[in-house]
Amino acid sequence: ICVFKIPGREIPIVHRVIDRHDSPETGEQKLLTKGDNNNGDDRQIYQELYINRQMMWIEPKDIVGRVQGFLPYLGMFTIYMTDYPLLKYALLGGVGLVVFIYE
Amino acid sequence: MNSLQNRANAVMAFSISAIFCLLGAIAFSALIIPSSPTGAVALDSIKVVTGRYDKNWQDFKTRNSEFANTIMRIDADLSSLFHWNTKQLFVYAVAEYSTPTHPKNQIVLWDTIIKRKSDAVISKRGLNNKYSLIDVNKKWTDVNANVSLHWNIVPYVGFMTYGHSKASEGYAFPLPSGIQT
């Protein structure tokens, strides 16, 4: 399962590689990915932008990383902060208050 | 000392460290659990057809791409891979072959997700490949492929682990007209 970015799209996609064609002499490697819950492969996603309309494969240069493991719910803190800005201000305000009172 | 703030701070710090130690113990202990999974894929028949369209295939430029339709049988017993840290198993059958232009190719023919130990014994016959079996060069001449079963243990906490069965013997792909090479 790898993390890759399509040129022109800023959000990376985390999907599983289902096809792989290597050519070590030319150094090229073609990969096709697919989300586990999708019926078809990711070509529709590769070709969403007009500049990529003929893109059939991704290559190692598009890959940003690889999934190594799971740490569930660790990101919930950041998600709550972004979804409820009031929480962010309350937390910062509370930290400021504590600094003022105890120093 | 001993104010409410100090006590709350101490409890929070200790509980967070304890939780992370527990998660680490689960993650690392899952790596050393012995398991004995068995699996085998065999192809009962391969037919090569030419055409422009195939299941879910999205490259419509070539009128006579060669698609291989296979009928597979899969036998596997993966119940030993289910332990306290297994959330689900992603099992997939891979065909591996080499061509003159690309020495190493792997294509996933079929996959499934297993969520319970009771579903982990697979015995399937007459299975069609779920995804199009087509080479980069869109031709299957002179290709010999072997198939194997791979699995990926998706944990609750910890590391993704992979495994696979032994590769089967090679299968030659027939010509589109049906002549076996």
Side-chain angles (χ1 to χ4, degrees), chain B residues 122-148:
Chain B
I122 308 174
S123 174
K124 295 204 185 288
R125 299 276 178 278
L127 211 56
N128 287 323
N129 46 316
K130 233 173 161 183
Y131 308 110
S132 309
L133 190 55
I134 175 173
D135 184 35
V136 191
N137 304 323
K138 303 193 169 70
K139 294 255 170 288
W140 282 116
T141 351
D142 292 333
V143 165
N144 219 302
N146 55 28
V147 285
S148 49

Short mmCIF file of all heavy atoms in Angstrom, two decimals, chain B residues 122-148:
data_model
loop_
_atom_site.label_atom_id
_atom_site.label_comp_id
_atom_site.label_asym_id
_atom_site.label_seq_id
_atom_site.Cartn_x
_atom_site.Cartn_y
_atom_site.Cartn_z
N ILE B 122 -10.46 -21.02 2.64
CA ILE B 122 -10.98 -20.70 1.31
C ILE B 122 -10.93 -21.95 0.45
O ILE B 122 -9.90 -22.62 0.41
CB ILE B 122 -10.11 -19.62 0.64
CG1 ILE B 122 -9.94 -18.43 1.56
CG2 ILE B 122 -10.71 -19.18 -0.66
CD1 ILE B 122 -8.97 -17.42 1.01
N SER B 123 -12.03 -22.22 -0.22
CA SER B 123 -12.03 -23.36 -1.13
C SER B 123 -12.93 -22.99 -2.28
O SER B 123 -14.13 -23.17 -2.22
CB SER B 123 -12.54 -24.60 -0.39
OG SER B 123 -12.68 -25.66 -1.29
N LYS B 124 -12.36 -22.40 -3.30
CA LYS B 124 -13.17 -21.89 -4.40
C LYS B 124 -12.82 -22.59 -5.70
O LYS B 124 -11.66 -22.87 -5.97
CB LYS B 124 -12.92 -20.39 -4.56
CG LYS B 124 -13.39 -19.60 -3.36
CD LYS B 124 -13.69 -18.19 -3.74
CE LYS B 124 -14.04 -17.32 -2.56
NZ LYS B 124 -15.34 -17.60 -1.99
N ARG B 125 -13.86 -22.83 -6.51
CA ARG B 125 -13.67 -23.47 -7.80
C ARG B 125 -14.38 -22.65 -8.85
O ARG B 125 -15.38 -22.03 -8.58
CB ARG B 125 -14.28 -24.88 -7.80
CG ARG B 125 -13.69 -25.81 -6.81
CD ARG B 125 -12.45 -26.45 -7.34
NE ARG B 125 -11.84 -27.32 -6.36
CZ ARG B 125 -11.05 -26.90 -5.37
NH1 ARG B 125 -10.80 -25.64 -5.22
NH2 ARG B 125 -10.53 -27.76 -4.52
N GLY B 126 -13.87 -22.69 -10.05
CA GLY B 126 -14.58 -22.02 -11.13
C GLY B 126 -14.63 -20.51 -10.99
O GLY B 126 -15.56 -19.86 -11.42
N LEU B 127 -13.55 -19.93 -10.42
CA LEU B 127 -13.53 -18.49 -10.17
C LEU B 127 -12.97 -17.77 -11.40
O LEU B 127 -11.93 -18.11 -11.89
CB LEU B 127 -12.59 -18.27 -8.99
CG LEU B 127 -12.80 -17.13 -8.03
CD1 LEU B 127 -14.17 -17.19 -7.44
CD2 LEU B 127 -11.78 -17.26 -6.92
N ASN B 128 -13.67 -16.75 -11.86
CA ASN B 128 -13.12 -15.93 -12.94
C ASN B 128 -12.22 -14.87 -12.34
O ASN B 128 -12.41 -14.45 -11.21
CB ASN B 128 -14.24 -15.23 -13.70
CG ASN B 128 -14.99 -16.20 -14.57
OD1 ASN B 128 -14.40 -17.10 -15.15
ND2 ASN B 128 -16.29 -16.03 -14.63
N ASN B 129 -11.25 -14.40 -13.12
CA ASN B 129 -10.39 -13.34 -12.57
C ASN B 129 -11.19 -12.05 -12.48
O ASN B 129 -11.94 -11.69 -13.37
CB ASN B 129 -9.12 -13.15 -13.39
CG ASN B 129 -9.39 -13.10 -14.87
OD1 ASN B 129 -10.14 -13.89 -15.38
ND2 ASN B 129 -8.78 -12.16 -15.55
N LYS B 130 -11.02 -11.39 -11.34
CA LYS B 130 -11.84 -10.21 -11.06
C LYS B 130 -11.42 -9.01 -11.90
O LYS B 130 -12.19 -8.13 -12.20
CB LYS B 130 -11.62 -9.84 -9.60
CG LYS B 130 -12.83 -9.68 -8.76
CD LYS B 130 -12.33 -9.51 -7.33
CE LYS B 130 -13.40 -8.90 -6.47
NZ LYS B 130 -12.94 -8.65 -5.11
N TYR B 131 -10.11 -8.97 -12.21
CA TYR B 131 -9.58 -7.80 -12.90
C TYR B 131 -8.99 -8.25 -14.22
O TYR B 131 -8.58 -9.39 -14.37
CB TYR B 131 -8.51 -7.11 -12.04
CG TYR B 131 -9.00 -6.82 -10.66
CD1 TYR B 131 -8.51 -7.52 -9.57
CD2 TYR B 131 -9.99 -5.87 -10.43
CE1 TYR B 131 -8.97 -7.27 -8.30
CE2 TYR B 131 -10.46 -5.62 -9.17
CZ TYR B 131 -9.95 -6.32 -8.10
OH TYR B 131 -10.43 -6.09 -6.85
N SER B 132 -8.91 -7.33 -15.17
CA SER B 132 -8.43 -7.69 -16.50
C SER B 132 -7.00 -8.19 -16.43
O SER B 132 -6.16 -7.59 -15.79
CB SER B 132 -8.45 -6.47 -17.40
OG SER B 132 -9.70 -5.85 -17.36
N LEU B 133 -6.75 -9.30 -17.12
CA LEU B 133 -5.40 -9.83 -17.18
C LEU B 133 -4.84 -9.44 -18.53
O LEU B 133 -5.15 -10.05 -19.56
CB LEU B 133 -5.44 -11.35 -17.02
CG LEU B 133 -4.12 -12.06 -16.81
CD1 LEU B 133 -3.39 -11.47 -15.64
CD2 LEU B 133 -4.36 -13.54 -16.57
N ILE B 134 -4.06 -8.37 -18.56
CA ILE B 134 -3.54 -7.86 -19.82
C ILE B 134 -2.14 -7.34 -19.58
O ILE B 134 -1.87 -6.74 -18.55
CB ILE B 134 -4.47 -6.75 -20.37
CG1 ILE B 134 -3.88 -6.11 -21.63
CG2 ILE B 134 -4.73 -5.69 -19.35
CD1 ILE B 134 -4.79 -5.15 -22.30
N ASP B 135 -1.26 -7.60 -20.52
CA ASP B 135 0.13 -7.19 -20.36
C ASP B 135 0.29 -5.74 -20.78
O ASP B 135 -0.56 -5.18 -21.47
CB ASP B 135 1.02 -8.10 -21.21
CG ASP B 135 2.48 -7.78 -21.01
OD1 ASP B 135 2.86 -7.43 -19.88
OD2 ASP B 135 3.24 -7.87 -21.98
N VAL B 136 1.42 -5.13 -20.42
CA VAL B 136 1.70 -3.74 -20.82
C VAL B 136 1.71 -3.62 -22.34
O VAL B 136 1.24 -2.66 -22.91
CB VAL B 136 3.08 -3.30 -20.30
CG1 VAL B 136 3.24 -1.82 -20.48
CG2 VAL B 136 3.22 -3.64 -18.86
N ASN B 137 2.29 -4.62 -23.00
CA ASN B 137 2.37 -4.58 -24.46
C ASN B 137 1.10 -5.09 -25.11
O ASN B 137 1.03 -5.22 -26.33
CB ASN B 137 3.54 -5.44 -24.94
CG ASN B 137 4.84 -4.99 -24.32
OD1 ASN B 137 5.04 -3.81 -24.13
ND2 ASN B 137 5.68 -5.95 -23.97
N LYS B 138 0.10 -5.45 -24.32
CA LYS B 138 -1.22 -5.86 -24.81
C LYS B 138 -1.17 -7.10 -25.67
O LYS B 138 -2.02 -7.30 -26.52
CB LYS B 138 -1.89 -4.70 -25.57
CG LYS B 138 -2.02 -3.45 -24.71
CD LYS B 138 -2.95 -2.46 -25.33
CE LYS B 138 -3.32 -1.33 -24.42
NZ LYS B 138 -2.30 -0.36 -24.10
N LYS B 139 -0.16 -7.93 -25.49
CA LYS B 139 -0.11 -9.17 -26.24
C LYS B 139 0.37 -10.26 -25.30
O LYS B 139 1.21 -10.02 -24.45
CB LYS B 139 0.89 -9.08 -27.41
CG LYS B 139 0.50 -8.10 -28.48
CD LYS B 139 -0.01 -8.80 -29.71
CE LYS B 139 -0.62 -7.86 -30.71
NZ LYS B 139 -1.92 -7.34 -30.27
N TRP B 140 -0.11 -11.49 -25.52
CA TRP B 140 0.28 -12.57 -24.63
C TRP B 140 1.13 -13.61 -25.33
O TRP B 140 1.18 -14.75 -24.92
CB TRP B 140 -0.96 -13.25 -24.06
CG TRP B 140 -1.61 -12.51 -22.95
CD1 TRP B 140 -2.85 -11.98 -22.96
CD2 TRP B 140 -1.07 -12.21 -21.66
NE1 TRP B 140 -3.13 -11.38 -21.75
CE2 TRP B 140 -2.04 -11.51 -20.94
CE3 TRP B 140 0.16 -12.49 -21.05
CZ2 TRP B 140 -1.84 -11.08 -19.63
CZ3 TRP B 140 0.35 -12.06 -19.74
CH2 TRP B 140 -0.65 -11.36 -19.07
N THR B 141 1.79 -13.24 -26.40
CA THR B 141 2.56 -14.26 -27.12
C THR B 141 3.73 -14.73 -26.29
O THR B 141 4.44 -13.95 -25.71
CB THR B 141 3.14 -13.68 -28.41
OG1 THR B 141 2.56 -12.40 -28.58
CG2 THR B 141 2.82 -14.54 -29.58
N ASP B 142 3.95 -16.06 -26.27
CA ASP B 142 5.14 -16.63 -25.64
C ASP B 142 5.29 -16.26 -24.18
O ASP B 142 6.40 -16.02 -23.73
CB ASP B 142 6.42 -16.18 -26.36
CG ASP B 142 6.52 -16.77 -27.74
OD1 ASP B 142 5.95 -17.85 -27.93
OD2 ASP B 142 7.14 -16.15 -28.60
N VAL B 143 4.22 -16.20 -23.46
CA VAL B 143 4.34 -15.83 -22.04
C VAL B 143 3.99 -17.02 -21.19
O VAL B 143 3.03 -17.73 -21.44
CB VAL B 143 3.41 -14.65 -21.72
CG1 VAL B 143 3.25 -14.49 -20.23
CG2 VAL B 143 3.96 -13.38 -22.30
N ASN B 144 4.78 -17.21 -20.16
CA ASN B 144 4.58 -18.29 -19.21
C ASN B 144 4.39 -17.65 -17.85
O ASN B 144 5.26 -16.93 -17.38
CB ASN B 144 5.85 -19.13 -19.18
CG ASN B 144 5.51 -20.57 -19.07
OD1 ASN B 144 4.85 -20.97 -18.15
ND2 ASN B 144 5.97 -21.32 -20.04
N ALA B 145 3.26 -17.88 -17.21
CA ALA B 145 3.00 -17.21 -15.94
C ALA B 145 2.81 -18.22 -14.83
O ALA B 145 2.24 -19.28 -15.05
CB ALA B 145 1.75 -16.33 -16.05
N ASN B 146 3.28 -17.89 -13.62
CA ASN B 146 2.92 -18.73 -12.47
C ASN B 146 2.07 -17.89 -11.52
O ASN B 146 2.18 -16.67 -11.47
CB ASN B 146 4.15 -19.31 -11.78
CG ASN B 146 5.14 -18.24 -11.36
OD1 ASN B 146 4.78 -17.12 -11.09
ND2 ASN B 146 6.40 -18.60 -11.30
N VAL B 147 1.21 -18.58 -10.78
CA VAL B 147 0.28 -17.87 -9.90
C VAL B 147 0.57 -18.25 -8.46
O VAL B 147 1.01 -19.35 -8.18
CB VAL B 147 -1.20 -18.20 -10.22
CG1 VAL B 147 -1.64 -17.49 -11.45
CG2 VAL B 147 -1.37 -19.68 -10.36
N SER B 148 0.36 -17.31 -7.57
CA SER B 148 0.55 -17.60 -6.15
C SER B 148 -0.45 -16.78 -5.35
O SER B 148 -1.01 -15.81 -5.86
CB SER B 148 1.97 -17.27 -5.72
OG SER B 148 2.32 -15.99 -6.16
#
